[in-house]
Amino acid sequence: MSEERFGEFVLVRRHGDGHVAELTLDRPKAMNAVSTEMARSIGAACTALGEDRDVRVVVLTSTHERAFCVGADLKERNSFSDAELVRQRPVARGAYSGVLELPVPTVAAVHGFALGGGFELALACDVIVADRTAVVGLPEVSVGVIPGGGGTQLLPRRVGAARAAELIFSARRVEAAEARELGLVDVLVDEGRDREEALALGERIGANSPVGLRAAKRALRLGQGLDLRAGLEVEDAAWRAVAFSGDRAEGVAAFNEKRKPRWPGE
């Protein structure tokens, strides 16, 4: 396993053969509250991971025992002038869009508090694995703002417009069992097992074709919100991108020869 640090608060570990990258939020003294510096580091780490063709899946984790991420650093925000807040906005957006726009599958491992921007980082992932200590929510209206890291757009895509409205307008926190029932998280595991289970899922995903994974993610994301006919055209374009690839040839050959594929990744 190799490690690379991005600034003080973000750590990237590459597991095994490097196909599974673990993007770790590592600001435990502040329960991973996202400061300007931390946001910049998340964005930089995502840029590096997105450009690394060896990476097939990214797992987003936390080093804090009682929190995934409690959202924006409100202590820092309280010190900002209006002009400073305006300047900080693109940096903050870069963290959330960095996770959202990763070209490979992403899995969030959530335990404890995942609130506001913290939950938005998880929502930016394709799959959310949570343990039974998880408490999620978008409480921004309770402090006079709105979800600004994608929450107003990502949450209704998960749970529908009316459910998202109820959760955002009420600012309520949702505990793990209800979160799973409502579809706020996807996989519910025993306490303390979120990281282990998310990495195991990452390993299963990472065993598959890197060309296929990127194309499948592209089709899933680009097809959201389109009518069926347009969505099927997106799918067809993604299919054409992989149909004549080395990975497709290797996958078919490995299946017929009853062996594990050795993906060329092209």
Side-chain angles (χ1 to χ4, degrees), residues 8 15-16 49 52 60 74 93-94 103 116 121 136-137 151 153-154 159 175 223 233 238 242 259:
E8 185 179 355
H15 293 266
L49 291 170
D52 188 341
L60 184 60
L74 296 184
R93 287 193 70 185
L121 286 172
V136 305
Q153 305 305 304
L154 294 171
V159 301
E175 296 187 359
E233 290 303 315
V242 301
R259 60 173 175 82

Side-chain angles (χ1 to χ4, degrees), residues 7-83:
E8 185 179 355
F9 303 129
V10 175
L11 177 66
V12 171
R13 297 185 180 98
R14 288 173 171 80
H15 293 266
D17 51 16
H19 298 324
V20 178
E22 182 181 3
L23 174 57
T24 303
L25 308 177
D26 187 28
R27 195 187 178 202
K29 291 182 179 179
M31 300 181 81
N32 289 328
V34 181
S35 63
T36 304
E37 179 185 349
M38 187 174 178
R40 188 175 288 113
S41 296
I42 293 170
C46 288
T47 296
L49 291 170
E51 293 173 350
D52 188 341
R53 300 297 295 187
D54 287 334
V55 172
R56 299 179 188 174
V57 58
V58 174
V59 179
L60 184 60
T61 66
S62 160
T63 59
H64 197 283
E65 292 182 356
R66 293 186 294 109
F68 173 72
C69 174
V70 294
D73 186 340
L74 296 184
K75 290 183 178 179
E76 180 190 61
R77 292 279 180 91
N78 191 49
S79 70
F80 282 172
S81 67
D82 289 352

Side-chain angles (χ1 to χ4, degrees), residues 29-214:
K29 291 182 179 179
M31 300 181 81
N32 289 328
V34 181
S35 63
T36 304
E37 179 185 349
M38 187 174 178
R40 188 175 288 113
S41 296
I42 293 170
C46 288
T47 296
L49 291 170
E51 293 173 350
D52 188 341
R53 300 297 295 187
D54 287 334
V55 172
R56 299 179 188 174
V57 58
V58 174
V59 179
L60 184 60
T61 66
S62 160
T63 59
H64 197 283
E65 292 182 356
R66 293 186 294 109
F68 173 72
C69 174
V70 294
D73 186 340
L74 296 184
K75 290 183 178 179
E76 180 190 61
R77 292 279 180 91
N78 191 49
S79 70
F80 282 172
S81 67
D82 289 352
E84 287 169 333
L85 185 59
V86 168
R87 287 196 295 271
Q88 194 257 4
R89 176 62 175 162
V91 178
R93 287 193 70 185
Y96 302 108
S97 64
V99 176
L100 184 64
E101 293 173 6
L102 280 166
V104 297
T106 49
V107 181
V110 173
H111 61 268
F113 297 112
L115 301 172
F119 189 38
E120 288 174 304
L121 286 172
L123 288 172
C125 294
D126 299 302
V127 180
I128 301 175
V129 176
D131 83 356
R132 296 187 183 278
T133 70
V135 179
V136 305
L138 297 176
E140 284 88 344
V141 296
S142 70
V143 293
V145 291
I146 70 166
T152 66
Q153 305 305 304
L154 294 171
L155 190 59
R157 283 168 166 78
R158 270 188 164 267
V159 301
R163 179 67 70 190
E166 182 265 318
L167 292 166
I168 291 171
F169 295 160
S170 69
R172 72 182 178 96
R173 300 179 179 190
V174 183
E175 296 187 359
E178 185 186 3
R180 175 65 186 89
E181 181 181 336
L182 297 179
L184 300 174
V185 304
D186 304 302
V187 181
L188 188 60
V189 300
D190 290 338
E191 180 176 345
R193 291 184 58 84
D194 54 296
R195 177 177 179 268
E196 179 182 350
E197 295 290 344
L199 286 170
L201 175 57
E203 291 287 351
R204 292 195 295 276
I205 293 170
N208 295 311
S209 158
V211 171
L213 289 171
R214 286 175 179 249

